[in-house]
Amino acid sequence: MEKPLILVTNDDGITAPGLRTLVRLMKEIGDVVVVAPDSPQSGMGHAITLDNTLYSKKVVIDSDHGATEEYSCSGTPADCVKLALQELLGRKPDICVSGINHGSNSSINVIYSGTMSAAIEAGIEGVPAIGFSLCDFSWGANFEKAGEPIKKIVREALDKGMPKGVVLNVNIPKLEGKEYKGIRVSRQARANWKEKFDKRISPMGKEYYWLTGEFELLDKGEDTDEWALANDYISVVPTQFDLTAHHAIQQINNWNFHE
């Protein structure tokens, strides 16, 4: 029986420990092809390269434990998926997995996430897709406990099939000395970043800014991704790329556009 073809990508770069872990896990399930950025692309969202040259080359990152094929790409995570589907893969993958991201992509963070944008790009092209993130920004983050849940989620997606127009946003809490309580299907929590800019002066006398801020949770619901993570559950949020606010259509239709 033919093994599933799994496209692996990320936004932390092709050498990131999270991606290397995901490659190893996916090799237990199917044939793996990696197309990932050649340098970190965190926070790029769904940006694509329009006014610059896009490069890709075949690479070998780990000859013993690497994927069947790997390609580094000079572009964004969304570029990587577009290039993979249009040029580099011999056939349409059975699933695309993005990550494992170093850091949370829960709640409002999903808007800015290159990890999830890569998965969403695959979903737009009709490929089942999942973004995985571990709530630990450290480059030396421990991904060991996340392995079995990640494989379980991917196997279920391959076996049961994904809802049309839906991409899964999976966030995994950082746990020390205890186990996950389980996997919870959640909704995206209402939250925001209270942002400010740290204004500084360079040695050359020029003003420059560092973006800083604090995460502000506005949602006390116990069915959210933030609640799940805070209570040691892995959060799975079904995310759609149809941004239409369907509930608002009738209200806007009552506006008078004719006077």
Side-chain angles (χ1 to χ4, degrees):
M1 187 173 182
E2 188 177 29
K3 289 183 178 181
L5 177 60
I6 303 173
L7 172 62
V8 175
T9 189
N10 75 343
D11 72 350
D12 289 315
I14 196 166
T15 61
L19 182 138
R20 306 322 307 173
T21 300
L22 192 56
V23 168
R24 176 176 55 80
L25 295 171
M26 292 303 101
K27 284 180 66 178
E28 298 181 34
I29 298 174
D31 294 324
V32 177
V33 176
V34 175
V35 184
D38 59 12
S39 60
Q41 296 281 338
S42 295
M44 290 298 292
H46 213 106
I48 55 175
T49 300
L50 295 176
D51 58 356
N52 207 348
T53 307
L54 194 61
Y55 294 96
S56 178
K57 66 178 180 179
K58 200 168 185 177
V59 295
V60 177
I61 304 298
D62 186 342
S63 58
D64 293 326
H65 304 288
T68 304
E69 290 183 340
E70 297 201 48
Y71 299 86
S72 66
C73 175
S74 63
T76 67
D79 286 330
C80 291
V81 174
K82 286 179 177 291
L83 197 62
L85 298 182
Q86 300 298 326
E87 295 289 334
L88 301 177
L89 273 65
R91 65 178 177 90
K92 186 177 181 179
D94 295 286
I95 195 167
C96 172
V97 291
S98 182
I100 306 167
N101 190 63
H102 293 247
S104 170
N105 278 316
S106 60
S107 186
I108 194 65
N109 297 311
V110 69
I111 298 294
Y112 308 103
S113 168
T115 299
M116 276 303 295
S117 290
I120 288 169
E121 182 62 37
I124 291 171
E125 295 295 328
V127 177
I130 308 173
F132 290 102
S133 303
L134 179 70
C135 298
D136 186 346
F137 287 97
S138 170
W139 197 251
N142 185 352
F143 296 96
E144 183 177 352
K145 285 185 179 180
E148 289 304 317
I150 286 174
K151 288 188 291 184
K152 180 181 292 186
I153 292 168
V154 171
R155 286 188 171 117
E156 282 294 295
L158 287 168
D159 182 50
K160 302 294 198 311
M162 294 272 287
K164 187 175 181 180
V166 168
V167 172
L168 299 185
N169 181 19
V170 178
N171 282 273
I172 303 164
K174 176 185 177 182
L175 296 184
E176 301 291 348
K178 51 185 176 179
E179 300 298 322
Y180 301 121
K181 291 181 180 177
I183 299 171
R184 284 178 66 109
V185 179
S186 311
R187 65 175 174 85
Q188 178 182 322
R190 290 185 300 107
N192 206 346
W193 282 94
K194 295 180 68 175
E195 294 172 337
K196 59 182 180 179
F197 287 91
D198 184 3
K199 183 177 177 181
R200 303 181 185 182
I201 305 295
S202 75
M204 301 299 293
K206 292 185 177 181
E207 293 180 353
Y208 70 97
Y209 300 87
W210 281 106
L211 177 63
T212 64
E214 295 180 357
F215 184 72
E216 183 179 31
L217 181 61
L218 306 172
D219 199 322
K220 304 302 182 184
E222 296 186 1
D223 57 345
T224 70
D225 50 5
E226 291 295 334
W227 186 94
L229 294 167
N231 288 274
D232 301 337
Y233 289 94
I234 294 169
S235 168
V236 178
V237 176
T239 302
Q240 64 183 18
F241 43 85
D242 174 4
L243 299 182
T244 306
H246 293 276
H247 67 282
I249 290 177
Q250 185 58 51
Q251 179 181 346
I252 305 303
N253 270 328
N254 290 329
W255 292 8
N256 188 351
F257 292 118
H258 306 293
E259 291 184 1

